[in-house]
């Protein structure tokens, strides 16, 4: 389990979508390390999600792995229903499920658009809706954007747009949810060492250069810190936004990009 200096989430219940791998798995571990019971949402990697739940339970956390495709709002609703049935309350949503996409304008299909937006945008909106419906004052919703929402990258339009919409969503939903004492923010990670970065990282280069410089070396040039983030470093941002330390912070997107330029 991640070593942390305080238990800001003791007694809280957190739902983490995309918890089977990468950033979401690190977020689930971090929130558990801070004292929360966690629901680990997954889509395809059942074994990894159940293994993580078993590891967290061995450390004394109350953890549960549940399958839900966030592209389907009915499955999202079922995820929250099962979480409520098991733990009786929901205090935190960390919405980490997401999919990458690279494609030139002439190659983008309506099916590509629908899939990317169904997961990255619609999926996060309905996760926030289903979580907020069950939260009391003090509830914390943390969605996932990307540094890509505010940076131009060749052939990255669909993904970037799907994440820019998330930043607009948290800004506007903060007004609705604030009167109920619920905050909603987003984390915008930069390049982070996960399966997604390994599979798609080369896309961040200009098409003529793709394949010439792996993402870690590319970030040595373009990042102030000169390296990829580790998922645990990104998870620390979610834990902050999920905690009382961020009580007066809402509607914002926290960039965790290592000083990308
Ligand atoms: N890695 C980066 O450099 C980076 C940078 C900026 C933003 N982000 C964002 O950070 C988040 C996590 O990225 P990552 O790098 O950890 O990705 P990853 O390694 O590819 O893992 C993706 C996670 O999302 C889940 N997922 C995908 N589609 C889903 C669906 N339809 N329903 C439910 N779960 C689904 C996967 O579940 P299964 O494995 O169970 O299928 C997996 O847990 C994403 O929103 C991504 O856009 C990542």
């Amino acid at each position: 389990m991640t070593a942390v200096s305080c238990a800001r989430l003791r007694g809280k219940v957190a739902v983490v979508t995309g918890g089977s791998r990468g950033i979401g798995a690190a977020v689930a571990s971090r929130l558990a390390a801070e004292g929360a019971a966690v629901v680990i949402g997954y889509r395809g990697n059942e074994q990894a999600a159940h293994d993580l739940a078993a590891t967290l339970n061995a450390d004394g956390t109350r953890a549960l792995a549940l399958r839900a495709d966030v592209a389907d709002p009915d499955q999202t609703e079922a995820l929250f229903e099962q979480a409520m049935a098991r733990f009786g309350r929901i205090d935190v949503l960390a919405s980490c499920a997401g999919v990458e996409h690279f494609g030139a304008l002439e190659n983008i299909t309506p099916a590509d658009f629908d899939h990317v937006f169904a997961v990255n945008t619609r999926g996060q909106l309905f996760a926030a809706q289903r979580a907020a419906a069950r939260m009391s004052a003090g509830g914390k919703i943390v969605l996932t954007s990307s540094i890509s929402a505010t940076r131009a990258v060749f052939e990255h339009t669909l993904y970037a747009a799907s994440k820019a919409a998330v930043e607009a969503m948290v800004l506007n939903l903060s007004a609705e949810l604030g009167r109920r004492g619920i905050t909603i923010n987003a984390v915008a990670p930069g390049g982070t060492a996960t399966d997604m970065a390994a599979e798609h990282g080369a896309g961040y280069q200009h098409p003529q250069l793709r394949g010439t410089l792996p993402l870690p070396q590319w970030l040595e040039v373009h990042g102030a810190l000169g390296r990829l983030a580790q998922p645990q470093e990104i998870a620390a941002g979610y834990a902050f936004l999920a905690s009382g330390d961020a009580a007066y912070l809402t509607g914002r997107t926290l960039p965790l990009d290592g000083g990308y330029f």
Side-chain angles (χ1 to χ4, degrees), residues 17-24 41-46 68-71 95-100 115 119-120 124 144-148 159 163 188-197 199 204 215 228 238:
T17 71
S20 52
R21 289 186 287 139
I23 290 170
Y42 66 93
R43 180 195 53 178
N45 279 288
E46 181 173 14
D69 183 341
V70 300
S95 167
C96 302
V99 290
E100 251 290 13
H115 176 61
V119 179
N120 291 355
Q124 298 208 73
T144 302
S145 178
S146 166
I147 189 174
S148 300
Y159 179 83
K163 294 297 194 175
T192 307
T194 67
D195 294 343
M196 183 179 282
E199 287 164 25
Y204 282 84
L215 187 60
L228 286 169
Y238 289 81

Side-chain angles (χ1 to χ4, degrees), residues 13-17 28 37-41 62-66 79 82-83 87:
V13 176
V15 174
V16 182
T17 71
V38 292
V39 174
I40 300 162
R62 293 180 302 154
L64 174 68
L66 293 173
L79 174 71
Q82 290 173 79
F87 294 121

Side-chain angles (χ1 to χ4, degrees), residues 69-94:
D69 183 341
V70 300
D72 178 351
D74 290 342
Q75 292 190 34
T76 300
E77 168 66 11
L79 174 71
F80 284 101
E81 265 310 290
Q82 290 173 79
M84 285 296 285
R86 171 68 181 266
F87 294 121
R89 57 188 290 155
I90 293 169
D91 303 286
V92 173
L93 165 63

